[in-house]
Amino acid sequence: MELVRLADGASSLEVRVLGRTMPGVLTLHDHLDAEIVVTSGFARGRLDVCLAPDDLDDWSQVLEELAAGRDAAWMEDGRNPRIRFEPSRRGRAAVFTVEDVAASGTSVSVPVRLAEGWADEHLERLRRVRAAWPQEVVETSPGTYEWRR
């Protein structure tokens, strides 16, 4: 299921959620395996990532920043590749940079034209991901987890 799809005819950034990382394992049940796929006329790349529940909350905040025309960054904790977004002043385009800070140190920056209604579409994508893989585990105290009732 696509969580992110920023694309025009020439370039794209996709974040595809593949499923739970370790279904049934209490501490990792709510983590999601995903992949980042970047394509352009110049570069193509794919990176595996593991999204924690907080990453989905952070994505919601990034969408708010971008919709308001402000720069934003997602997954800045160092365990996943970082994605930075820089919208144009007119709000119809953005440059995204994917930085594989956790492994190879490689980065790629790609411009993309934003379609009309892209922000609302991405909020709906986020809602669908959360509906498909709801949070089922709660951390009752630091390092202590239990199933939601």
Side-chain angles (χ1 to χ4, degrees):
M1 178 178 292
E2 287 181 335
L3 175 62
V4 178
R5 180 165 175 70
L6 297 173
D8 57 23
S11 304
S12 68
L13 166 68
E14 298 173 77
V15 178
R16 300 176 188 147
V17 178
L18 306 174
R20 292 196 187 274
T21 297
M22 297 186 77
V25 176
L26 196 60
T27 55
L28 294 174
H29 180 80
D30 287 345
H31 288 67
L32 302 174
D33 286 334
E35 62 183 1
I36 298 170
V37 179
V38 176
T39 59
S40 76
F42 177 73
R44 289 192 175 162
R46 183 187 155 288
L47 293 166
D48 293 325
V49 296
C50 178
L51 299 176
D54 289 347
D55 293 326
L56 296 180
D57 296 337
D58 293 346
W59 177 236
S60 177
Q61 292 173 355
V62 166
L63 285 172
E64 288 178 24
E65 293 296 312
L66 292 172
R70 294 186 289 269
D71 293 358
W74 186 38
M75 296 189 286
E76 293 192 287
D77 58 9
R79 70 180 165 76
N80 280 322
R82 173 179 38 226
I83 304 175
R84 289 185 295 119
F85 301 89
E86 300 171 33
S88 70
R89 291 183 185 149
R90 295 184 193 123
R92 298 292 306 166
V95 173
F96 63 82
T97 302
V98 178
E99 300 171 292
D100 187 17
V101 292
S104 70
T106 303
S107 68
V108 63
S109 295
V110 179
V112 65
R113 286 184 307 278
L114 300 172
E116 188 72 34
W118 69 270
D120 291 336
E121 176 186 326
H122 279 81
L123 287 170
E124 177 59 23
R125 289 175 188 272
L126 176 58
R127 188 202 61 74
R128 287 193 308 253
V129 165
R130 286 180 164 159
W133 295 287
Q135 277 191 265
E136 298 177 334
V137 175
V138 64
E139 188 172 11
T140 55
S141 62
T144 304
Y145 301 88
E146 63 183 48
W147 296 104
R148 255 184 226 282
R149 296 177 191 201

